[in-house]
């Protein structure tokens, strides 16, 4: 029982940073989506959807991080690792976004193939690509910071971010 609790604690702690980060990102996305749709304001349902989305993304990040292909450029320089991870995460984000659009159509058309064919006509492309671009930007920021922290260390990163400027110059 103790091993299970330790495993769950480890998973929760690893999932917390991306979940919090993407909780904010999804709220930004729902705000942008409401602006594009001319529905000014954020509703309770969009906040709940943002919370659920951030939990899903937090867990998805843990799953993608466990893929062996993600570490293909681990021995290369930082920029190669960042670009590779951005590519892999972007592919997964695109697939999740595609499924997010096609699943409601499956209930409408009772078939994946028919829903997939009608997706092109029924999707709101301006919203889809706006959200995709914003997610790509935030994924880039997230991955860049995670990889930078791995290189310089969590303590050094916190020191750089939170230390007073005059104290930092004296080193």
């Amino acid at each position: 029982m103790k091993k299970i609790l330790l495993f769950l604690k480890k998973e929760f702690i690893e999932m917390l940073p991306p979940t919090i980060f993407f909780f904010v990102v999804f709220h930004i996305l729902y705000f942008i989506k409401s602006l594009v749709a001319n529905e000014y304001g954020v509703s309770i349902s969009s906040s709940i959807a943002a919370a659920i989305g951030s939990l899903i993304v937090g867990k998805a990040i843990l799953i993608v991080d466990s893929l062996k292909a993600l570490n293909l450029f681990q021995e290369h320089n930082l920029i190669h690792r960042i670009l590779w991870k951005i590519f892999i995460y972007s592919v997964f984000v695109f697939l999740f976004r595609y499924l997010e659009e096609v699943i409601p159509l499956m209930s409408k058309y009772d078939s994946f193939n028919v829903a997939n064919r009608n997706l092109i006509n029924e999707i709101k492309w301006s919203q889809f690509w706006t959200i995709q671009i914003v997610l790509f930007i935030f994924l880039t920021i997230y991955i860049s910071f995670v990889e930078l922290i791995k290189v310089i260390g969590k303590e050094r990163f916190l020191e750089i971010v939170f230390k007073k400027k005059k104290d930092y110059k004296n080193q």
Side-chain angles (χ1 to χ4, degrees):
M1 184 68 171
K2 189 173 181 175
K3 284 184 179 183
I4 293 172
L5 290 175
L6 287 174
F7 173 77
L8 290 174
K9 180 182 176 185
K10 179 185 168 282
E11 288 286 309
F12 177 76
I13 290 171
E14 286 180 9
M15 199 173 102
L16 203 55
T19 301
I20 293 169
F21 182 82
F22 285 101
F23 180 77
V24 173
V25 169
F26 276 99
H27 273 87
I28 291 168
L29 287 172
Y30 281 106
F31 181 70
I32 290 171
K33 194 173 183 178
S34 69
L35 287 176
V36 170
N38 293 324
E39 300 171 3
Y40 306 102
V42 177
S43 67
I44 296 294
S45 63
S46 65
S47 284
I48 292 169
I52 292 169
S54 65
L55 288 169
I56 292 168
V57 169
K59 188 60 182 170
I61 284 175
L62 290 180
I63 292 168
V64 173
D65 281 344
S66 69
L67 296 175
K68 290 185 191 310
L70 196 64
N71 297 320
L72 193 62
F73 290 95
Q74 205 58 33
E75 301 301 318
H76 290 76
N77 59 28
L78 183 62
I79 192 67
H80 285 108
R81 290 194 308 264
I82 290 172
L83 291 174
W84 177 246
K85 287 185 177 186
I86 289 169
F87 172 74
I88 296 294
Y89 280 114
S90 295
V91 167
F92 275 87
V93 165
F94 183 82
L95 290 173
F96 276 101
R97 298 278 339 286
Y98 164 76
L99 289 174
E100 182 183 25
E101 296 292 337
V102 82
I103 287 172
L105 293 177
M106 285 172 56
S107 63
K108 181 178 177 181
Y109 293 110
D110 295 326
S111 164
F112 176 79
N113 291 333
V114 177
N116 193 38
R117 282 194 300 268
N118 286 299
L119 179 68
I120 293 173
N121 297 328
E122 295 198 24
I123 194 170
K124 295 176 183 170
W125 287 106
S126 60
Q127 283 184 5
F128 181 85
W129 287 113
T130 300
I131 290 170
Q132 198 67 23
I133 290 167
V134 172
L135 275 173
F136 178 80
I137 291 166
F138 280 109
L139 269 172
T140 302
I141 293 167
Y142 177 78
I143 293 165
S144 299
F145 273 99
V146 167
E147 290 301 311
L148 180 63
I149 291 168
K150 284 180 184 176
V151 170
I152 66 173
K154 183 179 169 183
E155 291 79 20
R156 181 74 177 131
F157 177 78
L158 292 172
E159 181 182 312
I160 290 168
V161 172
F162 292 110
K163 198 170 185 181
K164 290 183 182 176
K165 188 174 181 181
K166 65 178 184 174
D167 294 340
Y168 186 69
K169 281 185 174 180
N170 292 334
Q171 286 190 344

